[in-house]
Amino acid sequence: MPLPPLKFHLIGDWLPGHIHCSWSDSTLVLSQKAQDLISDEWESVARRGVRLFDGPMCRLESYAARGNDLSLTFSRTSYRIFVGTNLSHPELGDEFGVQSLANPVGVSSGLLSCDGYMVMGRRNRSVAYYPNRIHPFAGALEPREPLDVFDEVRRELAEELSFGPADIADIRCLGLVEDVSLRQPELVFITRSTRTLIEIEALVDKKEHDASWSIESKAEDIKAAMRRSSELTPVAVAALLLWGRKEFGATWFSAQVE
């Protein structure tokens, strides 16, 4: 089965202290058509019974990698604008340009158990997009001062798995990717846990995930999982590919994405 449409904007191995966040004025420009679509979609999603909250989000304005450091520049947007643009009408980008999309940055972390399993969650039906699909433990980057993307990963793991500092051995960012179907940028992380697979499975928060999903962190197991990519979100596939690249090398990675 072919891989889902993905763009790998940046690939690296960034540790805490090496991703630098700053703010700028927003370049978002919403046409009247876009404003009407945002209102219509928000009402439509609400009628379907999906939990909605128009929370603040961080819009990606620019990025640059230099040496061991990654610089990210953000402006502010909101979940309502995301629902009406990237999520429901990404074609606005073709008609009006990238300035017509919310482009909020997601943070997604594959989780590596101490006994060698890659662990993600299976999303439940109540989520706004990709219900019942396998996805890393993730969330949207929220505006904070100061903004530290690694703190956001820790926050998501605390909310979804009740993780504390003792449960995390290492966090690193392996890339900035784009789910082409949504045109949404996503920072992909891998977190090494001090917990075993069984311990992690017992901690999964059922509000967002029906269950956990896991595979052994081996080249053949990852390749086999990607052959069933219809079960995975595009970002889940990206997390497996980037982890595979780190563990098994650039040649392995290139063979999977060709």
Side-chain angles (χ1 to χ4, degrees), residues 11-38:
I11 295 175
D13 190 358
W14 295 285
L15 295 169
H18 291 273
I19 297 184
H20 311 284
C21 302
S22 60
W23 296 100
S24 72
D25 293 334
S26 177
T27 59
L28 178 67
V29 178
L30 296 176
S31 65
Q32 186 60 53
K33 178 179 179 178
Q35 293 178 53
D36 292 342
L37 288 172
I38 289 167

Side-chain angles (χ1 to χ4, degrees), residues 215-242:
I215 57 170
E216 284 196 77
S217 179
K218 296 178 179 178
E220 289 305 315
D221 291 70
I222 293 174
K223 286 171 64 175
M226 290 189 298
R227 287 196 290 270
R228 305 189 303 275
S229 62
S230 62
E231 299 178 36
L232 305 166
T233 66
V235 169
V237 172
L240 291 175
L241 286 167
L242 290 173

Side-chain angles (χ1 to χ4, degrees), residues 69-91:
D69 294 285
L70 172 60
S71 297
L72 302 168
T73 303
F74 304 105
S75 63
R76 287 166 172 78
T77 187
S78 78
Y79 186 67
R80 183 173 179 271
I81 299 172
F82 166 65
V83 168
T85 60
N86 294 74
L87 181 59
S88 303
H89 294 284
E91 73 279 359

Side-chain angles (χ1 to χ4, degrees), residues 130-148:
Y130 293 130
N132 304 315
R133 300 273 287 277
I134 295 157
H135 193 64
F137 298 103
L141 196 61
E142 299 180 12
R144 303 181 195 277
E145 293 290 355
L147 182 58
D148 184 327

Side-chain angles (χ1 to χ4, degrees), residues 13-21 68-70 147-154 168-174 189-192:
D13 190 358
W14 295 285
L15 295 169
H18 291 273
I19 297 184
H20 311 284
C21 302
N68 295 324
D69 294 285
L70 172 60
L147 182 58
D148 184 327
V149 294
F150 292 93
D151 281 347
E152 295 302 300
V153 174
R154 296 183 189 99
I168 297 172
D170 177 78
I171 307 175
R172 56 189 64 225
C173 179
L174 299 184
F189 297 78
I190 295 295
T191 300
R192 290 181 182 270

Side-chain angles (χ1 to χ4, degrees), residues 57-123:
M57 304 173 86
C58 297
R59 183 176 194 268
L60 184 63
E61 294 288 344
S62 65
Y63 58 85
R66 298 182 183 88
N68 295 324
D69 294 285
L70 172 60
S71 297
L72 302 168
T73 303
F74 304 105
S75 63
R76 287 166 172 78
T77 187
S78 78
Y79 186 67
R80 183 173 179 271
I81 299 172
F82 166 65
V83 168
T85 60
N86 294 74
L87 181 59
S88 303
H89 294 284
E91 73 279 359
L92 287 167
D94 296 324
E95 187 172 355
F96 299 105
V98 68
Q99 67 269 20
S100 66
L101 300 174
N103 284 351
V105 179
V107 288
S108 290
S109 182
L111 186 61
L112 191 68
S113 70
C114 67
D115 49 351
Y117 288 85
M118 178 60 66
V119 189
M120 300 187 191
R122 186 178 293 277
R123 294 162 68 84

Side-chain angles (χ1 to χ4, degrees), residues 112-220:
L112 191 68
S113 70
C114 67
D115 49 351
Y117 288 85
M118 178 60 66
V119 189
M120 300 187 191
R122 186 178 293 277
R123 294 162 68 84
N124 64 33
R125 293 186 198 173
S126 69
V127 297
Y129 56 107
Y130 293 130
N132 304 315
R133 300 273 287 277
I134 295 157
H135 193 64
F137 298 103
L141 196 61
E142 299 180 12
R144 303 181 195 277
E145 293 290 355
L147 182 58
D148 184 327
V149 294
F150 292 93
D151 281 347
E152 295 302 300
V153 174
R154 296 183 189 99
R155 198 182 324 276
E156 291 298 331
L157 293 174
E159 291 177 1
E160 298 186 23
L161 293 165
S162 300
F163 267 24
D167 300 311
I168 297 172
D170 177 78
I171 307 175
R172 56 189 64 225
C173 179
L174 299 184
L176 174 66
V177 306
E178 179 184 330
D179 176 347
V180 172
S181 62
L182 301 179
R183 306 193 188 188
Q184 182 187 9
E186 193 91 16
L187 289 166
V188 175
F189 297 78
I190 295 295
T191 300
R192 290 181 182 270
S193 177
T194 59
R195 289 188 174 271
T196 65
L197 172 62
I198 290 175
E199 290 173 329
I200 293 169
E201 288 176 333
L203 292 171
V204 173
D205 183 359
K206 296 302 191 291
K207 289 184 207 170
E208 185 167 343
H209 302 287
D210 283 335
S212 64
W213 172 90
S214 62
I215 57 170
E216 284 196 77
S217 179
K218 296 178 179 178
E220 289 305 315

